[in-house]
């Protein structure tokens, strides 16, 4: 299959209208979209990514009014989050309406909904004229793409079209928040932090990782580059004499000596933005081990550590 690159939202939307799939930019990571009402088209996403069928997709809308078409009820906890953080890097989970095919939600009776802030993402969804079901545009298990070049490298020949746009502003996927109950529960940390959500509802908390898996995506291998990922907090835990090509990403310059490739970020937000892009670069130049600096799980640090812990599982 030929993969067409275009910077025209309308050209890309034509693929969606004929039942095909398109990778498109958002402010978090690039998504791989299909018409959420078209079962056959949605199945193509699972096939292109090699994604397990029970891992549900996020449905992206261009207008807030579309949320009530997809969701059976907009709960008070969702209302507050939508008012404050839509459009943006937040996803709410609500009970779904029957109009949403089961293939989108992996058979669950709930649906994940997000309204991207990215201008080109919204232009694209508007041009499609339907809500767009989209996971991140990477092969299942790999780090998410933060530029169209990452998508092209991973998906060339597997998808018919990539809508090209700017690099992702945040570089980490959205915060996924279960709003079906009385108080919001964070199922996947992201750029909208627990601290920010607590300002709307003090009782907001992280979902328990034990017991029934509420967000199916959390049980799968994830975010893994080809290189091994190791977490380090100080000099002591670095394998200084390893002969393999190694790289470092983090906040502290003093930890960064002796590596082939180094990325120092000035803030946790910058660390989040650089992380997946650095993973992609390391794979490109054949780095064997990526040493990532552990940081405090406050604010955006929670989302960074969530991705790092999962990327470092052997
Ligand atoms: O920023 C993002 O969220 C990006 C952009 C493209 O929007 N999308 C993204 O999609 O990261 P994906 O499929 O890679 O991750 C979606 C996560 C998965 O962990 C999935 O299990 C969870 O959201 N999810 C989707 N629907 C759900 C539902 N009904 N209940 C619980 N979790 C759900
Ligand atoms: Mg993903």
């Amino acid at each position: 299959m030929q993969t067409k690159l275009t910077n025209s939202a309308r050209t890309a939307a034509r693929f969606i209208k004929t039942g095909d799939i398109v990778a498109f930019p958002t402010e978090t990571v690039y998504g791989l979209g299909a018409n959420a009402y078209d079962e056959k088209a949605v199945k193509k996403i699972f096939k292109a990514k090699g994604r397990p069928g029970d891992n549900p997709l996020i449905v992206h809308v261009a207008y807030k009014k579309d949320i009530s078409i997809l969701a059976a009820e907009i709960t008070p906890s969702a209302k507050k989050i939508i008012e404050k953080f839509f459009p943006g890097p937040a996803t709410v989970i609500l009970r779904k309406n029957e109009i949403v095919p089961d293939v989108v939600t992996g058979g669950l009776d709930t649906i994940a909904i997000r309204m991207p802030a990215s201008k080109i993402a919204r232009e694209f969804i508007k041009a499609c004229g339907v809500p767009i079901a989209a996971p991140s545009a990477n092969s299942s298990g790999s780090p998410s793409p933060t530029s169209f070049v990452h998508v092209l490298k991973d998906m060339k020949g597997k998808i018919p079209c990539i809508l090209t746009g700017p690099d992702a502003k945040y570089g980490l996927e959205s915060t996924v928040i279960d709003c079906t109950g009385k108080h919001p529960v964070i199922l996947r940390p992201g750029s909208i932090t627990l601290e920010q959500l607590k300002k709307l509802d003090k009782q907001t908390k992280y979902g328990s990782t034990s017991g029934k898996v509420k967000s199916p995506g959390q049980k799968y291998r994830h975010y893994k580059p080809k290189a091994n990922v190791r977490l380090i907090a100080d000099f002591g835990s670095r394998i200084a004499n390893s002969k393999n090509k190694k790289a470092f990403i983090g906040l502290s310059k003093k930890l960064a000596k002796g590596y082939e490739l180094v990325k120092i970020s000035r803030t946790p937000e910058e660390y989040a933005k650089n992380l997946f892009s650095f993973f992609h670069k390391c794979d490109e130049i054949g780095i064997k081990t990526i040493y990532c600096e552990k940081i405090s799980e406050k604010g955006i640090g929670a989302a960074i550590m969530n991705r790092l812990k999962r990327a470092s599982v052997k």
Side-chain angles (χ1 to χ4, degrees), residues 238-309:
R238 177 152 72 84
I239 309 160
N241 294 324
S242 141
K243 287 201 188 73
N244 284 335
K245 270 180 119 177
K246 51 194 181 299
F248 173 85
I249 182 165
L251 300 172
S252 322
K253 273 196 191 132
K254 63 176 180 139
L255 286 184
K257 304 210 170 75
Y259 295 98
E260 269 79 15
L261 190 68
V262 165
K263 186 85 194 174
I264 302 293
S265 304
R266 282 167 305 174
T267 60
E269 284 73 21
E270 224 180 271
Y271 191 177
K273 181 181 171 146
N274 291 333
L275 184 65
F276 287 150
S277 164
F278 190 71
F279 281 1
H280 285 284
K281 186 155 183 203
C282 287
D283 280 350
E284 213 178 291
I285 64 169
I287 294 289
K288 293 287 182 254
T289 308
I290 307 170
Y291 291 86
C292 305
E293 183 177 352
K294 283 188 198 169
I295 64 166
S296 143
E297 293 189 33
K298 278 188 307 201
I300 183 89
I304 296 173
M305 287 306 294
N306 167 274
R307 308 307 189 270
L308 287 180
K309 282 177 191 165

Side-chain angles (χ1 to χ4, degrees), residues 89-301:
T91 295
V92 294
I93 309 280
L94 291 165
R95 300 255 160 252
K96 87 172 180 83
N97 260 336
E98 288 204 345
I99 191 169
V100 184
D102 282 342
V103 60
V104 171
T105 60
L108 296 176
D109 60 359
T110 54
I111 179 171
I113 304 173
R114 173 160 118 77
M115 180 175 175
S118 150
K119 195 165 159 251
I120 182 155
R122 292 239 297 286
E123 242 173 63
F124 168 65
I125 302 165
K126 281 181 198 168
C128 294
V130 286
I132 296 296
S136 49
N138 51 285
S139 304
S140 204
S142 301
S144 297
T146 60
S147 81
F148 73 83
V149 179
H150 301 155
V151 182
L152 186 65
K153 286 206 174 114
D154 192 356
M155 289 290 172
K156 194 175 174 189
K158 292 185 191 163
I159 60 174
C161 179
I162 299 172
L163 175 59
T164 60
D167 289 356
K169 178 176 163 200
Y170 295 106
L172 286 188
E173 305 84 351
S174 62
T175 308
V176 177
I177 312 147
D178 182 355
C179 295
T180 56
K182 194 150 186 261
H183 303 290
V185 176
I186 299 176
L187 302 181
R188 179 179 70 185
S191 295
I192 304 295
T193 63
L194 175 67
E195 292 82 349
Q196 282 174 293
L197 290 165
K198 274 193 162 167
K199 285 190 185 152
L200 300 182
D201 182 338
K202 271 196 204 133
Q203 310 254 41
T204 305
K205 53 180 195 302
Y206 288 119
S208 139
T209 46
S210 61
K212 189 171 162 271
V213 182
K214 263 215 124 183
S215 187
Q218 299 290 316
K219 73 179 184 236
Y220 292 111
R221 196 187 83 111
H222 238 90
Y223 314 119
K224 269 197 183 286
K226 292 191 193 86
N228 292 313
V229 173
R230 296 281 168 270
L231 306 191
I232 59 167
D234 53 49
F235 293 105
S237 47
R238 177 152 72 84
I239 309 160
N241 294 324
S242 141
K243 287 201 188 73
N244 284 335
K245 270 180 119 177
K246 51 194 181 299
F248 173 85
I249 182 165
L251 300 172
S252 322
K253 273 196 191 132
K254 63 176 180 139
L255 286 184
K257 304 210 170 75
Y259 295 98
E260 269 79 15
L261 190 68
V262 165
K263 186 85 194 174
I264 302 293
S265 304
R266 282 167 305 174
T267 60
E269 284 73 21
E270 224 180 271
Y271 191 177
K273 181 181 171 146
N274 291 333
L275 184 65
F276 287 150
S277 164
F278 190 71
F279 281 1
H280 285 284
K281 186 155 183 203
C282 287
D283 280 350
E284 213 178 291
I285 64 169
I287 294 289
K288 293 287 182 254
T289 308
I290 307 170
Y291 291 86
C292 305
E293 183 177 352
K294 283 188 198 169
I295 64 166
S296 143
E297 293 189 33
K298 278 188 307 201
I300 183 89

